[in-house]
Amino acid sequence: MRAKPVQRDPLLVRLREGVEDFAASTPARFAITVFGILVLIFTGLFLLPISTTSGETPPLIDAVFTAVSVICVTGLATVDMATYWSGFGHAVIFVGVEIGGIGVLTLASILGLVISRKLGLRTRLLAAGDANPLRMRKGPISEGQAVRLGETGQLLRTVATSVLVIELGVAALLFPRMLIQGVDPLSAAWQSIYYSAMAFTNTGFVPTAEGLTPYETDPWFLTVLMIGVFLGAIGFPVIYVLARNIRRPKRWSLHVKLTIVTSLVLLIGGAILFFFLEYDNPSSMKGMDPGQRILQSFFISSMARSGGFATLDMHQFDGSSLMVVDMLMFVGGGSASTAGGIKVTTLAILFLAAFAEAKGVDDMEAFERRIPPDVLRLAVSVVLWGATTVAVSTVLLLWITPDERLDYILFDAISAFATCGLSSGFTQSASEPAQWILAGTMFFGRIGTVTLAAALASSTRRRLYKRPEERPIVG
Amino acid sequence: MRAKPVQRDPLLVRLREGVEDFAASTPARFAITVFGILVLIFTGLFLLPISTTSGETPPLIDAVFTAVSVICVTGLATVDMATYWSGFGHAVIFVGVEIGGIGVLTLASILGLVISRKLGLRTRLLAAGDANPLRMRKGPISEGQAVRLGETGQLLRTVATSVLVIELGVAALLFPRMLIQGVDPLSAAWQSIYYSAMAFTNTGFVPTAEGLTPYETDPWFLTVLMIGVFLGAIGFPVIYVLARNIRRPKRWSLHVKLTIVTSLVLLIGGAILFFFLEYDNPSSMKGMDPGQRILQSFFISSMARSGGFATLDMHQFDGSSLMVVDMLMFVGGGSASTAGGIKVTTLAILFLAAFAEAKGVDDMEAFERRIPPDVLRLAVSVVLWGATTVAVSTVLLLWITPDERLDYILFDAISAFATCGLSSGFTQSASEPAQWILAGTMFFGRIGTVTLAAALASSTRRRLYKRPEERPIVG
Ligand SMILES: [K+]
Ligand SMILES: [K+]
């Protein structure tokens, strides 16, 4: 009567298996459900009068927007975060970004398992063994040997441990600098941990009203923040491999190499562009000495990719710099990271396809590895999704906000989609309907690219026939 | 001593063979050379004092910009075209757009031959026989049976005949409407032929100072212009197939079906968007009756794809409509057409790839045909090229023009790239360096997508080894 195995399972195991089956069968719906429930819970918490400094219940839009921004680790805000929320409110924010950050890392990794398994079934090829942390320890897995999603718990522990270690490390580097600044030790401890969490989760909120102002020219503080943001944005699979094989580059997977190289190219290329485009802007870098210019250029370039901290006022930037920030934000960070955007590997795949086409070779190649052509199709789908989300959001915002410039609206729309959190100032001054649209953009930006790949890869249909081939002209 | 076959060739044949070898071996350089020489000749003609109304030599930038705009059938202008140029100047413009229009159709078709031949050699698959007019008449060509580019002359005659027939037809429909308007018969004849050429070549210049104003609400005149623009924008391969098989859709190739369906979707979708986005704009459609709104919505949608005629002032449009025009311009028209942009089939291929990915099937499919995966790679290359051109142009223009809004700069940059010719007013008021950048954008926009596909497809390198496969994570 099949009763025996069921009786052996305690309630918790059955619950876990239910969740795992849900994740595996409809990953997109699973992600929407998880993030949706988290947003609801945190909206409830922000609606509590003890969450605000004034002791009053905040307007619904501000509670919802803050909850979405916190859970999606975006960092956009409709209120002045530092002064509007109480100490309790800031504790909720802190817990929220940790859950959001760890949540997105775990979710992406779980869905990565789903993809790998489905791809394995579908193409009868093994997914790259070491791109996935679970795979790495166990070696390549044959088709018959199904990956149990029961390993979710183990994965969650690994992620949480990594997050804890990195955040404590970053906080330890920020703490003494704050003492030097004259912050009392207790506040310095809390603030350094808060900054560290905001850096590693790529959120970008600040704990105090003056924000980064005391440290805005400080190489130590800004560099530590950049390192925290970079580690968060590079993605968990990369951190996992690097933690074990930092000195053995031969063991680095293609995914690790592609992510690191593309990230560095974007970081350095962006910094060079900002250095020149803002050179003569009296509202940003004019009058700075060369070392400070270089520091600030790297800081903008690093934060534009999803960090969201800002030392300079984006509203005062030259239009050309805003466009460059737009492009960097849209690309975002690494796969299965706390950063958003279409992801650096997606961009890399597009360029590898164009290079292969230009060289006239049959396969996309990188680091002496051949990349299967179906990866390109996935990359194109992700970019189309991203471009469509940004386009719909921007057109709607422009339509309901007739007097605002495209410069600023496009900036905040891309920032919301890519969970970057930099703002031209539009978000805070926008009308309530515009803020609802931005909240929706943040939500779909966060769950979109994370789940799209899994959702697409998990739908498989076998065809028993081949249609005749025909080649349309393109270009 | 090999003297015999050479002696049999007259000079003209050897010249022709030289040109054909040039086109086949380095298609991109060939296209740049041809278009570059045409621009030089027409710059010389516009620099003649008899070309201007004032009888003075125009500034170099105006002569170059007009020559590029005419030869690339773009339609952007730094001067008031109708009043600045003399009767002789307008004759030069007329001849220029005919050469530019026929030139781009022929060039695209020649390069199409190059692609097909190289693809045939490369993939050992036959390119779709009927997508290419020359192929169609001769049936599929086996690899051993090389297509002689000596058929260029024949192709040129077919293209010129089609252009003549269509342009005379469109002019004949415009002529009586002009007589009704009270234009004297001789002027009406010249103007109707001028309008017809500007419509079919998708240029969009007007012959008189008042431009479209007398006809701006006239359904007949505007509809005939739309038909002329649509035929020019659909592409020569499609016209060729339709002219022979208009009533036999079973003989339409995949390319024909894909082009027509995507063009209609964009035309109707764009019209619906403009209808709603401009509904309450007092500077455009507010106060119009419903029929007129529908006519104007379709007119904008049709012209945005590369036509370049305008009855309403783009500068007064809502920011949301400008964004929609931006997107339509970027896509442009059909392959091997007088329209610009990345082309409708390129867009269709991206969406077909995403659909295939979402359905989890192995092949891209449309109209019961399978599309080979290397077409996607070519499409991605074309889109990357287009996006890069627009991005570089926009960032440069924003940088040297600090006070202008992104809304208007992006609009004219995309219009230049896609040879559309609609303007937000930026081009005419821009500084001279900005106009040089726009001229460069027009030139590379025109030769870019036409030649990129050929250049990419014609570079082939055989590999005797396969590298190990590895799958990075994307999205
Ligand atoms: K962020
Ligand atoms: K045009």
Side-chain angles (χ1 to χ4, degrees):
Chain A
M1 295 285 280
R2 297 196 51 196
K4 206 176 145 208
V6 173
Q7 279 177 333
R8 272 214 305 236
D9 286 341
L11 185 67
L12 207 67
V13 172
R14 268 189 297 170
L15 184 71
R16 203 187 62 188
E17 287 193 343
V19 168
E20 285 154 5
D21 286 347
F22 186 17
S25 61
T26 51
R29 217 175 297 165
F30 174 70
I32 291 174
T33 308
V34 170
F35 274 75
I37 290 173
L38 285 172
V39 166
L40 281 182
I41 293 171
F42 277 80
T43 301
L45 291 171
F46 287 121
L47 279 174
L48 297 176
I50 50 163
S51 291
T52 62
T53 316
S54 65
E56 286 169 20
T57 301
L60 183 65
I61 175 66
D62 292 328
V64 170
F65 197 96
T66 306
V68 174
S69 188
V70 161
I71 291 299
C72 300
V73 295
T74 307
L76 283 173
T78 54
V79 297
D80 183 341
M81 294 295 287
T83 56
Y84 190 84
W85 303 109
S86 65
F88 175 79
H90 276 282
V92 172
I93 293 169
F94 179 81
V95 173
V97 300
E98 294 287 13
I99 292 179
I102 294 175
V104 77
L105 291 183
T106 316
L107 186 72
S109 302
I110 293 175
L111 297 182
L113 287 182
V114 175
I115 296 181
S116 304
R117 196 158 46 142
K118 295 278 180 172
L119 281 179
L121 289 170
R122 179 162 134 200
T123 62
R124 308 196 171 254
L125 284 166
L126 290 176
D130 49 351
N132 185 303
L134 278 180
R135 285 287 173 93
M136 259 197 65
R137 266 172 297 168
K138 297 176 182 266
I141 290 158
S142 72
E143 198 190 317
Q145 184 187 350
V147 184
R148 270 314 296 154
L149 283 174
E151 288 153 353
T152 307
Q154 191 188 338
L155 179 66
L156 196 59
R157 274 193 299 279
T158 314
V159 169
T161 311
S162 313
V163 172
L164 194 72
V165 169
I166 293 173
E167 288 192 1
L168 284 179
V170 169
L173 293 171
L174 294 177
F175 179 69
R177 180 62 189 80
M178 287 186 157
L179 291 182
I180 294 171
Q181 191 66 24
V183 182
D184 69 277
L186 203 67
S187 297
W190 158 241
Q191 287 180 23
S192 61
I193 289 173
Y194 192 94
Y195 266 118
S196 172
M198 291 300 163
F200 182 75
T201 60
N202 273 229
T203 313
F205 287 134
V206 288
T208 57
E210 73 265 26
L212 281 176
T213 312
Y215 316 103
E216 67 184 2
T217 60
D218 185 66
W220 177 264
F221 201 94
L222 298 189
T223 305
V224 172
L225 279 188
M226 280 193 264
I227 292 170
V229 165
F230 190 83
L231 288 175
I234 201 111
F236 184 67
V238 177
I239 291 175
Y240 190 90
V241 171
L242 289 189
R244 271 148 195 79
N245 299 294
I246 186 77
R247 290 170 191 218
R248 283 168 293 189
K250 285 202 169 182
R251 293 209 189 166
W252 297 3
S253 66
L254 173 62
H255 178 76
V256 170
K257 292 177 189 164
L258 216 50
T259 302
I260 291 176
V261 168
T262 315
S263 295
L264 288 178
V265 166
L266 290 174
L267 178 69
I268 296 167
I272 292 172
L273 282 173
F274 293 125
F275 185 90
F276 287 106
L277 295 176
E278 291 296 314
Y279 198 89
D280 270 334
N281 186 345
S283 307
S284 65
M285 291 195 212
K286 191 170 186 172
M288 287 183 185
D289 63 71
Q292 192 58 232
R293 282 174 191 275
I294 292 170
L295 175 67
Q296 296 298 334
S297 299
F298 270 95
F299 194 74
I300 306 162
S301 185
S302 156
M303 294 309 150
R305 299 266 309 295
S306 186
F309 288 113
T311 50
L312 299 165
D313 181 3
M314 293 289 146
H315 193 80
Q316 302 293 333
F317 265 34
D318 190 82
S320 56
S321 307
L322 290 180
M323 271 293 282
V324 174
V325 177
D326 286 344
M327 291 186 267
L328 291 176
M329 290 195 296
F330 187 72
V331 175
S335 299
S337 76
T338 55
I342 59 166
K343 306 295 182 293
V344 290
T345 39
T346 308
L347 181 75
I349 293 293
L350 297 185
F351 275 96
L352 289 175
F355 293 158
E357 193 63 40
K359 281 198 284 182
V361 296
D362 285 340
D363 299 306
M364 291 189 283
E365 287 178 357
F367 301 106
E368 306 192 333
R369 286 289 180 281
R370 189 159 46 88
I371 299 166
D374 59 310
V375 175
L376 177 61
R377 225 167 63 171
L378 199 52
V380 166
S381 308
V382 170
V383 174
L384 269 188
W385 157 266
T388 307
T389 308
V390 170
V392 169
S393 175
T394 305
V395 168
L396 281 176
L397 289 171
L398 283 165
W399 193 45
I400 64 171
T401 320
D403 297 329
E404 187 54 284
R405 300 165 66 129
L406 173 63
D407 312 55
Y408 301 132
I409 286 182
L410 180 67
F411 191 93
D412 279 34
I414 295 182
S415 180
F417 159 74
T419 71
C420 173
L422 290 176
S423 177
S424 64
F426 171 71
T427 300
Q428 204 154 346
S429 67
S431 65
E432 199 183 309
Q435 292 178 339
W436 281 109
I437 292 172
L438 285 168
T441 309
M442 291 195 289
F443 188 77
F444 286 105
R446 175 83 286 178
I447 60 155
T449 50
V450 171
T451 56
L452 189 71
L456 294 182
S458 65
S459 65
T460 306
R461 210 187 298 172
R462 280 239 154 265
R463 282 271 175 80
L464 295 173
Y465 55 91
K466 281 260 181 198
R467 295 189 187 281
E469 186 173 271
E470 198 173 329
R471 183 184 298 275
I473 312 171
V474 300
Chain B
M1 297 287 280
R2 297 195 53 193
K4 207 176 145 208
V6 174
Q7 279 176 334
R8 270 212 309 235
D9 286 341
L11 184 68
L12 207 67
V13 171
R14 271 189 296 171
L15 184 72
R16 203 188 61 189
E17 288 192 342
V19 169
E20 285 154 6
D21 286 347
F22 186 16
S25 60
T26 51
R29 215 173 299 165
F30 174 70
I32 291 174
T33 308
V34 170
F35 273 76
I37 290 173
L38 285 173
V39 166
L40 280 182
I41 294 171
F42 276 81
T43 301
L45 290 171
F46 286 122
L47 279 173
L48 297 175
I50 51 163
S51 291
T52 62
T53 316
S54 64
E56 286 168 23
T57 301
L60 183 64
I61 176 65
D62 292 329
V64 170
F65 197 96
T66 306
V68 174
S69 188
V70 162
I71 292 300
C72 300
V73 296
T74 306
L76 283 174
T78 55
V79 298
D80 183 341
M81 294 294 286
T83 57
Y84 190 84
W85 304 108
S86 65
F88 175 80
H90 277 281
V92 172
I93 293 169
F94 178 81
V95 173
V97 299
E98 295 287 14
I99 292 178
I102 294 175
V104 77
L105 291 183
T106 316
L107 186 73
S109 302
I110 292 176
L111 297 181
L113 286 182
V114 174
I115 296 181
S116 305
R117 196 157 46 139
K118 296 276 180 173
L119 281 179
L121 288 169
R122 179 160 134 202
T123 62
R124 306 198 173 254
L125 284 166
L126 292 176
D130 49 351
N132 184 302
L134 277 178
R135 285 286 174 92
M136 258 200 65
R137 266 171 299 168
K138 297 175 181 267
I141 290 158
S142 74
E143 199 191 316
Q145 183 187 353
V147 184
R148 273 312 298 152
L149 283 173
E151 289 154 352
T152 308
Q154 190 188 338
L155 178 66
L156 196 61
R157 274 194 298 279
T158 314
V159 169
T161 312
S162 312
V163 172
L164 194 72
V165 169
I166 293 173
E167 288 192 2
L168 283 178
V170 170
L173 293 172
L174 295 175
F175 179 70
R177 178 63 188 80
M178 288 185 156
L179 291 182
I180 294 170
Q181 192 66 23
V183 183
D184 69 276
L186 203 67
S187 298
W190 158 241
Q191 286 181 23
S192 60
I193 289 172
Y194 193 93
Y195 266 118
S196 172
M198 291 301 164
F200 181 74
T201 61
N202 272 227
T203 314
F205 287 134
V206 289
T208 57
E210 74 265 25
L212 282 176
T213 312
Y215 317 104
E216 68 186 2
T217 59
D218 185 66
W220 177 264
F221 201 92
L222 297 189
T223 305
V224 172
L225 279 188
M226 281 192 262
I227 292 170
V229 165
F230 189 84
L231 288 174
I234 200 113
F236 185 66
V238 176
I239 293 175
Y240 191 90
V241 172
L242 290 189
R244 272 148 196 80
N245 300 295
I246 187 77
R247 291 173 189 214
R248 283 167 293 188
K250 286 203 169 180
R251 294 209 188 167
W252 296 3
S253 65
L254 172 61
H255 178 76
V256 171
K257 292 177 190 164
L258 216 50
T259 303
I260 292 175
V261 168
T262 316
S263 296
L264 288 178
V265 167
L266 290 174
L267 178 69
I268 296 166
I272 292 171
L273 283 173
F274 293 125
F275 185 89
F276 288 106
L277 295 177
E278 291 297 313
Y279 198 90
D280 271 334
N281 186 345
S283 307
S284 66
M285 290 194 211
K286 192 171 183 171
M288 287 184 184
D289 63 71
Q292 192 60 231
R293 282 174 191 274
I294 292 169
L295 175 67
Q296 296 297 334
S297 299
F298 270 95
F299 194 73
I300 306 162
S301 185
S302 155
M303 294 311 150
R305 298 266 309 296
S306 185
F309 289 112
T311 50
L312 298 166
D313 182 3
M314 291 291 146
H315 193 80
Q316 303 292 332
F317 265 34
D318 190 82
S320 56
S321 306
L322 290 181
M323 272 292 282
V324 175
V325 177
D326 286 345
M327 291 186 265
L328 291 175
M329 289 196 297
F330 187 73
V331 175
S335 299
S337 76
T338 56
I342 58 166
K343 307 295 182 297
V344 289
T345 38
T346 307
L347 181 76
I349 292 294
L350 297 185
F351 275 96
L352 289 175
F355 293 158
E357 194 62 40
K359 281 197 285 182
V361 295
D362 285 340
D363 299 307
M364 292 188 283
E365 288 179 356
F367 301 106
E368 307 191 334
R369 287 288 179 281
R370 187 158 47 88
I371 299 167
D374 60 309
V375 174
L376 176 61
R377 224 167 64 171
L378 199 53
V380 166
S381 309
V382 169
V383 174
L384 269 188
W385 157 266
T388 307
T389 307
V390 169
V392 170
S393 176
T394 305
V395 168
L396 280 176
L397 289 171
L398 283 165
W399 192 46
I400 64 171
T401 320
D403 296 330
E404 186 57 283
R405 301 166 67 128
L406 174 63
D407 312 56
Y408 301 132
I409 287 182
L410 180 67
F411 190 93
D412 279 34
I414 295 182
S415 180
F417 159 75
T419 72
C420 172
L422 290 176
S423 178
S424 64
F426 171 72
T427 300
Q428 205 154 346
S429 67
S431 65
E432 199 182 309
Q435 292 178 339
W436 282 108
I437 291 172
L438 284 169
T441 309
M442 291 196 287
F443 188 76
F444 286 105
R446 175 83 284 177
I447 60 155
T449 50
V450 171
T451 58
L452 189 71
L456 293 183
S458 66
S459 65
T460 306
R461 211 187 298 172
R462 279 240 153 265
R463 282 272 175 82
L464 295 173
Y465 54 93
K466 281 260 180 199
R467 295 189 188 282
E469 187 173 270
E470 198 174 329
R471 182 185 299 273
I473 313 172
V474 299

